[in-house]
């Protein structure tokens, strides 16, 4: 199953994901991929949210290691201090964020490593998790549970331009595997239809979810653990 996590900007999708990853880990379900927490500071300025915090940038946290790398900075801030790179991939795509090309390459290398490890871990002819569960082989056994692939997030670079996190897209394009029978991608609402069109063949089973208790229950059920 491919879960597409969506919702309004800055409603806590990544914080919800961080909590979900911790909960799945407690059940023995490994999560691999990337989370994209924001860099927030207290603020009373024009960019402050309703809680008095301002988002300056975005980090990427590589799963499962937890390695954190600076990934993006708000474009207006980068222009103000002269660090905005007009030749960057993000600038050419006219994004609101300055995304470091080297950071994109690092995250892609991480997904390449995940792909290699997953290929090595899955024996030739291995059955998908759903078939094994139907046979009763691994159902409800957290120590042997397959993992959840997480991509936070797929944006205009990936969906409209074929760039950005290309290695994450390539891994998603493989569809469900014995190692990752399920995947979750964070996608803005205006990109949902195009994302589904790109991945429809690989993931015929898809589900749009929100960062709430219903979304959590759906994923826990798919991973064979009750809410």
């Amino acid at each position: 199953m491919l879960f597409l996590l969506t919702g309004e900007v800055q409603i806590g999708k990544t914080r919800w994901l961080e909590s979900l990853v911790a909960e799945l880990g407690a059940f023995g379900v490994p999560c691999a991929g990337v989370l994209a927490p924001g860099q927030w500071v207290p603020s009373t300025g024009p960019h402050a949210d309703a809680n008095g915090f301002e988002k300056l940038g975005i980090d990427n946290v590589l799963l499962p290691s937890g390695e954190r790398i600076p990934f993006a900075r708000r474009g207006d801030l980068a222009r103000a201090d002269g660090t905005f790179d007009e030749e960057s991939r993000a600038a050419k795509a006219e994004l609101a964020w300055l995304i470091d090309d080297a950071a994109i390459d690092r995250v892609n290398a991480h997904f390449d490593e995940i792909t290699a490890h997953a290929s090595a871990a899955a024996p030739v002819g291995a059955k998908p998790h759903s078939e094994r569960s139907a046979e009763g082989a691994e159902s409800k056994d957290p120590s042997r549970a397959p993992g959840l692939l997480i991509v936070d997030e797929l944006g205009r670079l990936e969906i409209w331009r074929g760039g950005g996190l290309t290695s994450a897209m390539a891994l998603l394009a493989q569809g469900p595997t014995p190692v990752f029978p399920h995947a979750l991608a964070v996608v803005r609402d205006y990109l949902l239809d195009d994302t589904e069109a790109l991945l429809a063949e690989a993931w015929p089973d898809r589900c749009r979810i929100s960062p709430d208790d219903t979304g959590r229950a759906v994923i826990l059920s798919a991973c064979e653990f009750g809410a």
Side-chain angles (χ1 to χ4, degrees), residues 42-209:
S43 174
T44 58
H47 292 283
D49 65 7
N51 297 313
F53 287 87
E54 179 177 347
K55 191 174 186 178
L56 304 182
I58 301 169
D59 288 336
N60 269 192
V61 176
L62 309 183
L63 301 176
S65 71
E67 177 188 351
R68 181 182 291 257
I69 61 173
F71 188 75
R73 191 160 183 241
R74 225 171 60 212
D76 62 308
L77 297 177
R79 285 188 172 91
D81 64 15
T83 60
F84 192 88
D85 182 2
E86 297 290 351
E87 296 302 313
S88 68
R89 285 167 252 183
K92 291 179 179 178
E94 299 181 347
L95 302 185
W97 297 87
L98 173 62
I99 304 176
D100 182 10
D101 284 350
I104 293 176
D105 293 341
R106 173 67 187 97
V107 177
N108 276 326
H110 175 62
F111 277 100
D112 289 339
E113 293 167 4
I114 292 174
T115 301
H117 291 160
S119 297
V124 175
K127 295 181 179 180
H129 175 60
S130 58
E131 293 184 27
R132 299 200 307 274
S133 295
E135 296 171 0
E138 294 185 340
S139 179
K140 305 296 183 181
D141 182 353
S143 68
R144 302 175 67 188
L148 176 68
L149 179 66
I150 296 177
V151 185
D152 181 11
E153 67 181 72
L154 298 178
R156 287 158 52 189
L157 275 177
E158 291 78 20
I159 305 306
W160 286 353
R161 290 177 170 265
L165 302 184
T166 54
S167 294
M169 286 295 293
L171 184 51
L172 286 171
Q174 294 182 15
T177 67
V179 177
F180 296 117
H182 307 296
L184 185 154
V186 179
V187 184
R188 297 289 175 86
D189 55 0
Y190 66 90
L191 292 170
L192 279 170
D193 289 343
D194 290 340
T195 302
E196 288 189 330
L198 284 173
L199 297 172
E201 183 175 353
W203 296 91
D205 296 324
R206 300 180 302 280
C207 180
R208 297 182 180 187
I209 62 172

Side-chain angles (χ1 to χ4, degrees), residues 27-41:
F27 283 125
V29 179
C31 295
V34 64
L35 297 175
Q39 302 167 358
W40 296 88
V41 296

